[in-house]
Amino acid sequence: MQNSDKIGSRQFVILVTFITIGDSILILPSVPATEASHDGWLSGLIGMVLGLAIVYLFCVVGRIYPEQTLIEKSKLIFGRWLGTFFSLFFLGAILINGAVYIRTIGEFMTTHIMKATPIHAVMFLFVASAIYAVRLGLEAFARTSEIFFLWFVLTFVMFLLLLSPQFQFENLFPFMENGIKPVIRGVFAVTAFPFSELVIFLMITPLLDAKQKLTSAFLRGAIYGSICLLAVIFSSLLVLGPELVSRETFPSYSLAKRVHVGEFFQRQEAMMALMWFVSIYFKVVLYMYGFCVGIKQLLHLKGHQSLTMPICILFVAIAIIIVPNGAFLYETYTYWPFFDLTKGFLYPLILIVGYWIRKQIKNKPASFQK
């Protein structure tokens, strides 16, 4: 992969942290609470341990042909035609993911903050800012993430501290009231949502300055993001209770409404919305960037800048077409984990198996070769 953009391991860690948090900071708490009720925190804890195993799988894929992106690896492992087929599948999944993120932004903004604004206007304005970041390149928006990271951490810690007086630990009991099956169902969703979507980083691993630090940087970023998400799940259950969390589409936003100190510091939901907006912005930008780079490599173009405008418009168009309304969007959460795990777990696993088979064939003794 020939690209002038380069990022350091610290920038990589920050990007992984932001993308792990992404839209999950607002949506994720309701998933384990719906499945496991009081034991939602246990689903979150187990799911995040399994999620780190998926991240390690990405690290293994990243060490295969380390100078190549996932699209280029597919062609090298499976050949031109089969590799192109797998690449088109992956890029199609990336397009759908990015479009759903954009639609989620529109739904949230028009139902909670800018209720009189058309959803299409919100999506186009968001994508317009994303276009600028994609055109500037990976290095530019990776450096921008460093600027926002400290602010994000301080705001998040303050948010938890202000909520702590309202924690009711009885909301976590009775423990394992309905057995292990609901917990396992919650684990499945928690593993799929934040972690399998990190597969997009396999499009930028060749641009990491110190490739020998890929595994540590990837895992560190995923762990930091996991800690934030686990803290949000715990806080939602402790303050709102499992019944209310399971009924909310954006439970963390409702959680932020409970923040109040006396009569002068309250209704801090805008703080949570802004944190979510920052994290999902970098997620959308990275998905658009990875898609542009993938199309460039499939079509053997010199650069991706000329693709940014039509591709970003394509993302908005797909968001409007495949998600006609908010009710349909919320319904997709029931089967979305299967889609995420297909592209974020099964596909990388197939790549590893294909690479191993190819290596075994090449290392066969001469007497067994035709």
Side-chain angles (χ1 to χ4, degrees), residues 34-39 174-183 185:
T34 301
E35 298 291 350
S37 187
H38 301 278
D39 299 315
F175 179 67
M176 299 286 284
E177 179 183 20
N178 299 312
I180 192 65
K181 288 185 179 180
V183 175
R185 290 197 299 268

Side-chain angles (χ1 to χ4, degrees), residues 61-201:
V61 176
R63 291 196 295 267
I64 298 173
Y65 304 123
E67 298 297 330
Q68 312 298 328
T69 67
L70 192 62
I71 300 299
E72 295 168 323
K73 294 179 200 289
S74 296
K75 289 186 177 181
L76 289 172
I77 293 171
F78 297 115
R80 179 181 177 185
W81 296 108
L82 188 57
T84 300
F85 170 79
F86 278 116
S87 298
L88 289 173
F89 160 76
F90 176 72
L91 291 176
I94 293 302
L95 176 62
I96 293 172
N97 266 106
V100 170
Y101 301 149
I102 293 168
R103 182 71 191 207
T104 303
I105 292 165
E107 287 293 332
F108 174 76
M109 295 295 289
T110 54
T111 56
H112 290 85
I113 298 178
M114 304 169 67
K115 298 182 180 180
T117 306
I119 188 171
H120 296 168
V122 173
M123 291 192 293
F124 272 109
L125 285 173
F126 184 85
V127 169
S129 63
I131 289 174
Y132 184 67
V134 174
R135 289 183 67 87
L136 289 177
L138 177 65
E139 186 175 358
F141 69 78
R143 290 182 182 276
T144 305
S145 69
E146 290 184 281
I147 298 173
F148 283 97
F149 186 67
L150 180 59
W151 168 85
F152 183 93
V153 171
L154 293 175
T155 306
F156 186 80
V157 171
M158 184 177 70
F159 173 71
L160 295 180
L161 290 175
L162 292 173
L163 280 172
S164 58
Q166 302 182 52
F167 287 174
Q168 300 178 31
F169 288 92
E170 58 269 23
N171 287 337
L172 303 182
F173 299 98
F175 179 67
M176 299 286 284
E177 179 183 20
N178 299 312
I180 192 65
K181 288 185 179 180
V183 175
I184 294 174
R185 290 197 299 268
V187 166
F188 181 69
V190 171
T191 303
F193 278 131
F195 297 101
S196 61
E197 294 174 355
L198 296 177
V199 69
I200 189 64
F201 280 94

Side-chain angles (χ1 to χ4, degrees), residues 6-16 142-143 145-146:
K6 288 291 180 182
I7 60 173
S9 58
R10 182 178 66 178
Q11 295 167 339
F12 191 86
V13 169
I14 291 173
L15 282 176
V16 173
R143 290 182 182 276
S145 69
E146 290 184 281

Side-chain angles (χ1 to χ4, degrees), residues 318-351:
I318 295 297
I320 296 171
I321 293 170
I322 69 171
V323 187
N325 52 59
F328 183 86
L329 175 64
Y330 307 143
E331 186 66 26
T332 61
Y333 295 150
T334 58
Y335 57 81
W336 199 259
F338 298 97
F339 174 74
D340 272 347
L341 287 173
T342 301
K343 80 170 190 313
F345 175 71
L346 186 60
Y347 179 41
L349 193 60
I350 291 173
L351 277 174

